[in-house]
């Protein structure tokens, strides 16, 4: 049975090279993905009148809508040329 290796033979390093004292060129320290993990903490439950007062204090639903609105540069202006109509080749 023949076996194949994906890596070519690497020549042995001569004993004259100080490979043990050479510093690696990349940072080889292990860092866990969970190192800075913050567990979910639910916000405290409040009464609905209290929640409504909070929304009113920050500006109502319009304040939340502004957070989601696109920037003015992303919205096409009224003076811009509309794109050509999409035609599938047939007569309407």
């Amino acid at each position: 049975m023949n076996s194949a290796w994906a890596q070519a033979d690497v020549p042995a390093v001569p004993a004259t090279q100080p490979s043990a004292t050479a510093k690696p060129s990349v940072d080889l320290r292990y860092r866990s993905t969970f190192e800075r993990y913050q567990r979910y903490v639910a916000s405290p439950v409040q009464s609905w009148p209290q929640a409504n007062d909070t929304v009113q204090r920050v500006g109502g639903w319009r304040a939340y809508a502004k957070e989601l609105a696109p920037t003015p540069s992303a919205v096409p202006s009224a003076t811009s040329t509309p794109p050509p109509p999409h035609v599938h080749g047939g007569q309407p």
Side-chain angles (χ1 to χ4, degrees):
M1 176 184 246
N2 293 336
S3 62
W5 294 91
Q7 188 174 9
D9 290 337
V10 179
V13 178
T16 58
Q17 290 184 346
S19 61
T21 59
K23 289 186 174 183
S25 61
V26 290
D27 186 12
L28 298 177
R29 286 183 281 149
Y30 173 76
R31 290 188 183 127
S32 173
T33 304
F34 300 107
E35 189 174 285
R36 293 185 286 169
Y37 174 75
Q38 293 181 359
R39 186 177 185 165
Y40 173 75
V41 178
S43 54
V45 178
Q46 56 185 343
S47 67
W48 66 265
Q50 208 175 15
N52 285 345
D53 291 342
T54 302
V55 171
Q56 184 64 33
R57 194 172 53 251
V58 298
W61 64 268
R62 288 179 180 89
Y64 294 107
K66 285 179 187 176
E67 292 176 2
L68 300 175
T71 58
S73 62
V75 178
S77 67
T79 59
S80 66
T81 308
H86 186 79
V87 181
H88 287 277
Q91 294 292 329

